């Protein structure tokens, strides 16, 4: 018997890439590959890339430079590029880096086994099509290996919203949703393998409209209620949502569905209506705040999370101040802020750019505010009785680490719990990036 081939996948970018990497590993597993943690051991290296900001894309080329050296020592090594840089710059990758054997765009992963076979026979292979079919449809039987207690499950892909700064509609294509039955089947399979918490993923997950058993389209809320019936599944989350798709049934589910966790990532990008308009966001700061009011009416303790871009073309100090005001008004438990990055082919790339020093200064100011809010909210958790889904053991003996309902990392100091247990705790202290807790009896 020949030794199995080894596969090393390095994943950049969002959670959807994490999900795709797992499934690509499964798909190549059927071709006789086993995963390795060590690139130097691998027979095939796949970079699953992100194109969202310039730096993310550049990282890929520097990594490929290093891999070229590895390939010089190991000529049988095959190098592949997947993900959003592959979609956006496939031909250019092949041209710029001859060590690359395979380029596959995010909607073509079902072609991977064929492509691997071609590459093994010495050819190069590139596929960046947007076919109709579900890219993982062929993967009926997933390996029954045990799993970490939390898993991602992609339910929706692509985006039709075309924000003026964003590459996602180009790299992931038009919005499409997977049918309810396939998602339920995959969810049950995950639960059978020890998963207690599922995070439903989509670039615009709350625009989900997958086909239900009766042939009609179902909303994300309807999907969540269907998942709610799976015994053994304890927690449901979803990300990323668009403010315009927070429908009444989804807001209601936040109040009524116990398994749906009180955490919502709802990016707004800016607090200035002038900039939101220039971003093509189709909502205002006010309408965003109203959505949050409605969500908080349904679920008062919900922890809000968001994304912000500073230094978007033509952003003035006044616009930026409006963003800070919005953050003050919302009070975020988590928020991610980025300096605007010019993306070729997007409308905003053509406009007057903000001075980089000004953008840097705004980034520092927004991050200081966000950090202050995050720490306040973490401190407010002290003394509260929460539940932690245990993910692994901690550094000290007897210590276990997991996540609260609000997605905070929590260290339980006196726990005899096992991975996958949901443990009642009392929060005793807020540390810099996590909370300390004691198990309640
Ligand atoms: N679908 C999600 C976001 C996907 S991209 C949504 O609509 O909210 C994740 C985040 O990256 C965005 O929310 C935005 O804040 C940031 N981002 C996207 N394009 C960017 C760019 N050109 N420069 C800087 N940040 C960007
Ligand atoms: Fe990008 Fe906007 Fe679509 Fe989000 S909604 S993926 S930011 S285009
Ligand atoms: Fe990056 Fe593509 Fe995700 S650009 S953020 S990997 S959808």
């Amino acid at each position: 018997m020949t030794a199995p081939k080894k596969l090393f996948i390095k994943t950049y970018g969002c959670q959807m890439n994490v999900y795709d990497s797992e499934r690509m590993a499964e798909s190549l597993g059927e071709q006789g590959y086993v995963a390795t943690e060590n690139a130097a051991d691998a027979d095939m290296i796949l970079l699953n890339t992100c194109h969202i900001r310039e730096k993310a894309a550049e990282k890929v080329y520097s990594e490929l430079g290093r891999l070229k050296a590895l390939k010089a020592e190991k000529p049988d090594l095959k190098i592949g590029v997947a993900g959003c840089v592959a979609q956006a710059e496939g031909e250019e990758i092949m041209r710029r880096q001859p060590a690359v054997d395979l380029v596959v765009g995010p909607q073509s992963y079902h072609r991977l086994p064929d492509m691997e076979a071609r590459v093994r026979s010495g050819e190069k292979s590139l596929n960046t099509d947007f076919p109709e079919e579900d890219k993982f449809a062929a993967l009926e039987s997933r390996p029954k290996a045990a799993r970490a207690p939390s898993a991602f499950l992609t339910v929706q892909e692509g985006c039709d919203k075309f924000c003026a700064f964003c590459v996602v509609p180009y790299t992931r294509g038009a919005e499409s949703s997977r049918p309810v039955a396939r998602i339920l089947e995959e969810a049950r399979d995950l639960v059978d393998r020890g998963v207690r918490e599922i995070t439903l993923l989509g670039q615009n997950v709350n625009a989900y409209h997958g086909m239900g058993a009766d042939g009609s389209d179902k909303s994300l809320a309807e999907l969540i209620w269907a998942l709610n019936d799976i015994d053994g599944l304890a927690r449901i989350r979803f990300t990323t949502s668009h403010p315009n798709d927070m429908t009444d049934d989804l807001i209601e589910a936040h109040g009524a569905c116990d398994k749906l966790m009180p955490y919502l990532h709802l990016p707004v990008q800016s607090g200035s209506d002038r900039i939101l308009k220039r971003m093509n966001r189709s909502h205002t700061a006010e309408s965003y705040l109203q959505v949050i009011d409605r969500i908080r009416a349904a679920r008062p303790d919900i922890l809000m999370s968001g994304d912000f871009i500073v230094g978007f073309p033509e952003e003035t100090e006044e616009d930026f101040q409006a963003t800070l005001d919005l953050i003050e008004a919302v009070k975020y438990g988590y928020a991610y802020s980025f300096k605007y990055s010019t993306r070729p082919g997007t409308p905003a790339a053509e406009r007057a750019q903000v001075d980089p020093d000004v953008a840097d200064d705004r980034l520092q100011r927004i991050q200081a505010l966000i950090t202050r809010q995050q720490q306040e909210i973490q401190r407010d958790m002290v003394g509260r009785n929460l539940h932690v889904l245990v993910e692994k053991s901690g550094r000290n003996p007897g210590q276990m680490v997991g996540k609260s309902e609000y997605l905070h990392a929590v260290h339980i100091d006196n726990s005899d719990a096992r991975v996958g247990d949901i443990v009642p705790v009392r929060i005793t202290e807020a540390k810099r990036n996590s909370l300390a807790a004691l198990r309640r009896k």
Side-chain angles (χ1 to χ4, degrees):
M1 213 180 93
T2 52
K5 292 170 282 184
K6 291 191 181 145
L7 173 69
F8 177 83
I9 304 187
K10 184 163 179 177
T11 306
Y12 303 82
C14 62
Q15 290 122 322
M16 305 196 60
N17 267 7
V18 174
Y19 175 84
D20 285 347
S21 289
E22 284 177 5
R23 308 233 59 195
M24 283 192 276
E26 288 171 7
S27 153
L28 287 172
E30 291 172 5
Q31 306 298 113
Y33 279 88
V34 295
T36 171
E37 300 290 308
N38 181 0
D41 259 3
D43 300 288
M44 172 170 282
I45 297 178
L46 269 183
L47 304 184
N48 193 6
T49 62
C50 174
H51 201 242
I52 201 81
R53 284 169 287 274
E54 191 178 1
K55 270 206 188 109
E58 272 170 5
K59 270 192 212 153
V60 177
Y61 287 102
S62 48
E63 184 66 26
L64 286 174
R66 283 191 286 275
L67 294 182
K68 182 184 170 201
L70 192 60
K71 192 166 178 170
E73 292 165 22
K74 199 173 167 184
D76 285 344
L77 172 65
K78 301 297 176 192
I79 297 176
V81 181
C84 292
V85 183
Q87 187 63 45
E89 301 181 1
E91 309 268 353
E92 191 184 340
I93 295 170
M94 286 278 192
R95 218 176 17 250
R96 261 175 79 171
Q97 185 45 271
V100 173
D101 301 285
L102 179 157
V103 168
V104 59
Q107 301 313 331
S108 298
Y109 293 154
H110 47 313
R111 300 272 174 259
L112 207 51
D114 291 347
M115 295 173 77
E116 190 273 341
R118 297 175 73 134
V119 159
R120 271 292 139 217
S121 70
E123 291 174 43
K124 298 228 173 203
S125 185
L126 181 146
N127 193 328
T128 50
D129 295 344
F130 286 108
E132 283 286 306
E133 72 240 57
D134 183 344
K135 65 190 182 187
F136 294 119
L139 270 186
E140 290 300 347
S141 60
R142 304 185 68 178
K144 298 286 174 204
R147 290 271 326 214
S150 292
F152 293 137
L153 204 175
T154 296
V155 302
Q156 179 278 338
E157 283 229 53
C159 180
D160 296 338
K161 295 208 161 46
F162 291 93
C163 298
F165 49 83
C166 183
V167 295
V168 169
Y170 311 97
T171 61
R172 295 274 172 170
E175 243 174 49
S176 70
S177 298
R178 300 177 67 199
V180 172
R182 284 212 43 105
I183 295 164
L184 293 180
E185 181 195 3
E186 202 171 315
R188 285 193 201 97
D189 182 60
L190 288 167
V191 170
D192 285 348
R193 293 152 66 197
V195 168
R196 308 290 318 274
E197 171 181 281
I198 291 181
T199 303
L200 306 174
L201 301 181
Q203 270 93 13
N204 266 298
V205 73
N206 56 343
Y208 176 82
H209 55 96
M211 194 180 62
D214 59 4
S216 72
D217 277 2
K218 300 296 169 197
S219 66
L220 183 66
E222 289 170 298
L223 176 66
I224 288 167
W225 282 111
L227 288 160
N228 185 58
D229 290 338
I230 297 179
D231 286 338
L233 179 62
R235 291 179 165 190
I236 303 168
R237 303 178 186 275
F238 60 88
T239 198
T240 298
S241 300
H242 192 284
N244 286 7
D245 295 317
M246 284 308 298
T247 49
D248 291 345
D249 61 346
L250 188 55
I251 292 175
E252 256 169 55
H254 267 294
C257 178
D258 289 341
K259 290 186 182 179
L260 186 57
M261 290 292 105
Y263 178 100
L264 179 64
H265 185 62
L266 195 65
V268 62
Q269 315 300 350
S270 169
S272 153
D273 287 344
R274 198 179 70 88
I275 292 296
L276 286 170
K277 196 157 192 194
R278 299 292 285 149
M279 286 176 161
N280 192 31
R281 284 292 293 187
S282 64
H283 57 77
T284 61
E286 187 56 33
S287 68
Y288 176 78
L289 292 172
Q290 282 167 359
V291 170
I292 294 183
D293 282 349
R294 284 166 52 220
I295 298 163
R296 283 185 168 149
R299 181 78 205 220
D301 63 330
I302 200 154
L303 190 134
M304 292 303 305
S305 160
D307 289 342
F308 296 90
I309 295 178
V310 302
F312 185 76
E314 301 156 19
E315 183 189 66
T316 62
E317 177 59 27
E318 199 186 344
D319 293 318
F320 176 65
Q321 194 55 52
T323 301
L324 296 181
D325 292 347
L326 178 142
I327 296 173
E328 291 282 11
V330 173
K331 296 201 170 33
Y332 287 94
Y334 282 99
Y336 305 87
S337 52
F338 310 99
K339 198 162 65 152
Y340 169 72
S341 171
T342 313
R343 307 313 292 128
T346 59
E350 312 295 324
R351 302 184 193 153
Q353 305 291 310
V354 169
D355 182 299
D357 290 339
V358 171
D360 277 330
D361 175 63
R362 288 180 190 161
L363 187 65
Q364 279 184 17
R365 285 155 65 203
I366 197 172
Q367 286 184 342
L369 173 57
I370 287 168
T371 305
R372 179 157 59 73
Q373 286 196 344
Q374 288 180 346
Q375 286 173 351
E376 273 168 25
I377 286 182
Q378 291 211 24
R379 274 199 302 276
D380 287 349
M381 294 287 162
V382 175
R384 285 189 59 183
N385 290 339
L386 304 180
H387 291 85
V388 171
L389 170 57
V390 175
E391 291 175 341
K392 56 185 182 196
S393 35
R395 235 175 289 153
N396 306 331
Q399 194 184 55
M400 299 301 281
V401 185
K403 296 271 164 47
S404 76
E405 294 88 331
Y406 305 99
L407 211 56
H408 285 129
V410 182
H411 300 253
I412 314 168
D413 289 322
N414 62 339
S415 171
D416 50 8
R418 287 165 312 176
V419 169
D421 287 350
I422 294 179
V423 180
V425 302
R426 187 175 188 79
I427 304 296
T428 55
E429 197 188 339
K431 311 233 172 166
R432 218 184 142 63
N433 292 312
S434 63
L435 301 171
L438 288 174
R439 184 179 184 139
R440 282 181 283 140
K441 295 295 165 214

